[in-house]
């Protein structure tokens, strides 16, 4: 899955960021197959029941009533925004640190499927990217790995897991699920209205660290691509890192290269990364930072209609208060 994670000197983990995987269909008793985000078709003799999933992907499956037997995450399940409000009773927690998975404990669960996002820039599923502990990679030896693709759209990512859940036997027409979709559509309509009311507003998504200011490249951030599609002027950096194109890496001496009206900071480590930014005098050379025009960016974690609806409502509130002229 992995969204390429960068381990910064202060301990911050940055993730990179989909087109949906396509369900090729199966009946309730016959063979099962699914087109993975990588384009490969995974086939099994029976519909898989014992599933291990990465955190966000587990949340997506659980939103359709499918409970995995095990979950591995990149941080504590108590703080992971995907999991912190979910009932995890009876689910084995196999890891709470990026790249570290208890494969021995996973093997005891006898899984028949592993679910993790496909990250096209890294050509790997989440939990199997470069930098993961060698022993953790052995998780892929326990069962086939499938997932929707990260990169093009959070909406298509959610749709991909809806298709996967349906292939696993979930009733995707359940009224409670329809409520989440309706909430998303309502939130999206409001978000578009607010964006349209501020046509000149420019936004820059960043993740500050002690050493560098990381500027997000929307090309590899599905939620930022969605925002652009819906009219928000999210700035594309000029020079994304060639080896890790999720970000342009700015030295703090060049922190003022872009002058947006509004800064969005990675919400996963918002308080700590903002504190790191404020240590650098050049942070204030960004006019939006000086004006405290800073909001949270729901970076690389959204997987469900319900979570996306809530995120869009918060963003709409923030955008309503934004000034279109700060970056001028």
């Amino acid at each position: 899955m992995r969204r390429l994670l960068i381990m910064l000197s202060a301990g911050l983990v940055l993730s990179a960021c989909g087109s949906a995987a396509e369900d090729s269909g199966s009946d309730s008793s016959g063979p099962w197959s699914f087109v993975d985000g990588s384009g490969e078709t995974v086939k099994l003799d029976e519909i898989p029941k014992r599933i291990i999933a990465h955190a966000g992907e587990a949340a997506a499956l659980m939103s359709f009533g499918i409970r995995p037997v095990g979950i591995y995450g990149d941080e504590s399940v108590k703080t992971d925004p995907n999991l912190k409000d979910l009932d995890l009773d009876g689910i084995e927690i196999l890891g709470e640190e990026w790249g570290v998975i208890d494969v021995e404990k996973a093997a005891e669960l006898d899984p028949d499927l592993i679910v993790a996002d496909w990250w096209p820039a890294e050509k790997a599923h989440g939990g199997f990217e470069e930098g993961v502990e060698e022993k953790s990679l052995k998780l892929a030896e326990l069962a086939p790995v499938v997932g929707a693709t990260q990169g093009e759209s959070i909406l298509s990512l959610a749709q991909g897991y809806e298709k996967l859940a349906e292939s696993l036997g979930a009733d995707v027409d359940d009224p409670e699920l329809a409520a989440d979709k309706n909430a998303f559509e309502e939130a999206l309509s409001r978000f578009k209205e607010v964006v349209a009311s501020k046509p000149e507003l420019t936004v820059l998504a960043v993740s500050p660290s002690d050493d560098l200011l990381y500027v997000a490249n929307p090309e590899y951030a599905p939620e930022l691509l969605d925002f652009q599609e819906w009219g928000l002027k999210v700035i594309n950096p000029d020079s994304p890192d060639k080896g890790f194109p999720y970000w342009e890496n700015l030295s703090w001496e060049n922190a003022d290269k872009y002058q947006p009206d509004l800064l969005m900071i990675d919400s996963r480590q918002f308080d700590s990364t903002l504190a790191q930014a404020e240590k650098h005098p050049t942070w204030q050379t960004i006019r939006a930072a000086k004006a405290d025009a800073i909001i949270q960016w729901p970076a690389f974690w959204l997987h469900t209609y319900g979570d996306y609806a809530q995120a869009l409502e918060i963003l709409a509130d923030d955008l309503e208060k934004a000034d279109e002229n700060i970056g001028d």
Side-chain angles (χ1 to χ4, degrees), residues 212-286:
L212 295 168
L213 177 62
Y214 290 90
V215 177
N217 178 11
E219 183 178 353
Y220 291 96
E223 63 287 333
L224 299 182
L225 282 177
D226 282 344
F227 302 160
Q228 288 181 332
E229 175 69 20
W230 298 330
L232 187 62
K233 292 184 177 179
V234 183
I235 295 171
N236 288 72
D238 298 330
S239 304
D241 183 80
K242 292 181 179 179
F244 195 68
Y246 298 99
W247 312 91
E248 177 176 355
N249 309 332
L250 293 180
S251 66
W252 279 105
E253 290 77 10
N254 296 313
D256 62 349
K257 178 178 179 179
Y258 304 104
Q259 290 293 346
D261 298 311
L262 188 65
L263 285 164
M264 301 176 74
I265 292 183
D266 187 336
S267 64
R268 293 168 299 174
Q269 302 283 346
F270 182 82
D271 291 336
S272 61
T273 51
L274 178 58
Q276 288 171 322
E278 290 173 341
K279 295 177 183 178
H280 297 273
T282 52
W283 176 243
Q284 295 294 314
T285 64
I286 306 173

Side-chain angles (χ1 to χ4, degrees), residues 134-187:
E134 192 66 28
K135 60 183 180 180
S136 295
L137 294 173
K138 294 184 181 298
L139 179 67
E141 298 176 5
L142 302 180
V145 184
V146 301
T149 305
Q150 273 277 359
E152 295 176 3
S153 168
I154 296 298
L155 180 55
S156 65
L157 186 71
Q159 291 168 341
Y161 284 109
E162 181 175 12
K163 291 179 181 180
L164 177 59
E166 184 175 23
S167 79
L168 295 170
D171 177 9
V172 298
D173 295 321
D174 183 279
E176 289 188 16
L177 298 175
D180 279 346
K181 288 184 180 181
N182 289 337
F184 167 77
E185 292 297 339
E186 291 174 2

Side-chain angles (χ1 to χ4, degrees), residues 73-88:
D74 300 336
E75 62 180 288
S76 169
V77 296
K78 295 180 180 180
T79 60
D80 189 305
N82 292 288
L83 302 175
K84 61 182 181 180
D85 295 324
L86 295 181
D87 176 13
L88 303 180

